[in-house]
Amino acid sequence: MSDNHAHGGTRRLWMVFFILLVVTTVEVALGIIKPEILMGSPGGFTSWLNYIFILLTLFKAYYIVETFMHLEGERKSLRLAIYLPVLILIPYLTFILLVEGSALFAS
Amino acid sequence: MATTTSMEMPQDEKVWGGGNQPMGASYGKLMMWFFLISDALTFSGFLTAYGLMRFKYETTWPIAERVFTHFPGLEGDQPLLYVALMTFILIMSSVTMVLAVHEGKNNRKIRVGLWMLATIVGGLIFLGSQAWEWYHFIIGDKGGIELATTEIVRPADADGNFLTLSELVHGEAGGHGHHEHFTIKQVQDAFAHGDYTLRFPGKDKEYGVMNPDNLIAHDEAVELLASADVVQGANMTRNEYGHKQFANFFFFITGFHGFHVFSGVVLNFIIFYNVMLGTYQRRGHYEMVEKVGLYWHFVDLVWVFVFTFFYLV
């Protein structure tokens, strides 16, 4: 059994909860208001707003994995074994399928 | 970053020689992690397939915020509020789960049990919310029109502002009409008496500027309506919101996630039962709570992505 848990109490957990709550609220507010200044699309792919949504999502995912799933306290070998396959394969798959989807739309 | 571990084995070439835990995690925990990785790849397959279809059928792909507009007890369009509430419930239950794990480290049986109970309740509320959302998705709200080409369009006024079927048939004050079934005859009559148009549900080329290709002018619309049909609600073959793949992906992705939540609630309940029996107290550690906690957090993690890629983007 691993006893490498940070014994710092629950303050940090509640703080992460608060961060997740605030980020979700910001996402929803942006989604409802849709500020016009963020609707332009750099590079013509998708809007600034969508890039912001994706970044905030990855930000939330990082906190869930590191703190709630407690990956921050695990050994480097385990962290890499978990992070690398996911961080290499998923962006790759996303890239391929979205490019393909655009091509299908254009054809 | 807590990198200090209390593993007895020194970090040398014997680490991988067997008889110890090279990654500092027990067999069960390691296998849970590897299962979660494969599950993450499964979900990413679904979500990227959704992206592919959405890019492919851009003009007829519905915009989620025009689809999920209900909130219990509130009238009118409330985009995003309900899923935001569901997200909040799931994040909250993730916190109660991590608190259960935390109390498990301190060997406090009753507290572990109470936090796990709170997690189970959170999971059940989430499942109920999802059932509510499915119900409203299936019975439909605003109504659509299926052309002879099986494309879905929605009635709009002369300027291209969307109208519900109820507004079209009963006038602007008609509001939502999901309790009434409309016929194509009623729609044709309304078009005969007013300057209405049809509009594809897809996104605008530029924000706030309607794509003129998405609008079908009145005269052409009347012609198309001669061989069209009314669609209300959603099922696997057609839905009023837009391309049929949209409903299929909605049912499949949120359904698959909901099934994960359901399994999580069942697993949580089994572990909760064992906690209260004192199984883990006798065993001397609460690692089972940790393992089921990993699964539960993963379910929350997937929802964070579903929330973004299905509802927000």
Side-chain angles (χ1 to χ4, degrees), chain B residues 76 85 209 286:
Chain B
L85 178 72
V209 183
Y286 279 84

Side-chain angles (χ1 to χ4, degrees), chain B residues 74-88:
Chain B
L74 289 183
E75 282 293 316
D77 281 357
Q78 309 291 339
L80 288 178
L81 269 195
Y82 193 66
V83 276
L85 178 72
M86 286 168 72
T87 308
F88 170 74

Side-chain angles (χ1 to χ4, degrees), chain B residues 196-236:
Chain B
Y196 296 115
T197 58
L198 293 173
R199 183 177 164 191
F200 285 103
K203 72 170 186 184
D204 306 323
K205 271 249 168 62
E206 263 175 78
Y207 179 68
V209 183
M210 192 179 45
N211 184 354
D213 298 344
N214 276 358
L215 200 67
I216 303 171
H218 179 257
D219 295 343
E220 198 190 342
V222 170
E223 264 173 59
L224 287 171
L225 280 175
S227 56
D229 211 351
V230 166
V231 183
Q232 286 179 281
N235 55 39
M236 298 294 279

Side-chain angles (χ1 to χ4, degrees), chain A residues 1-3 21 34 57 75, chain B residues 6-7 22 65 88 285 308:
Chain A
M1 179 199 162
S2 63
D3 53 356
L21 193 64
K34 284 190 180 292
T57 302
R75 281 205 189 147
Chain B
S6 65
M7 297 300 301
E65 67 189 47
F88 170 74
H285 62 78
T308 301

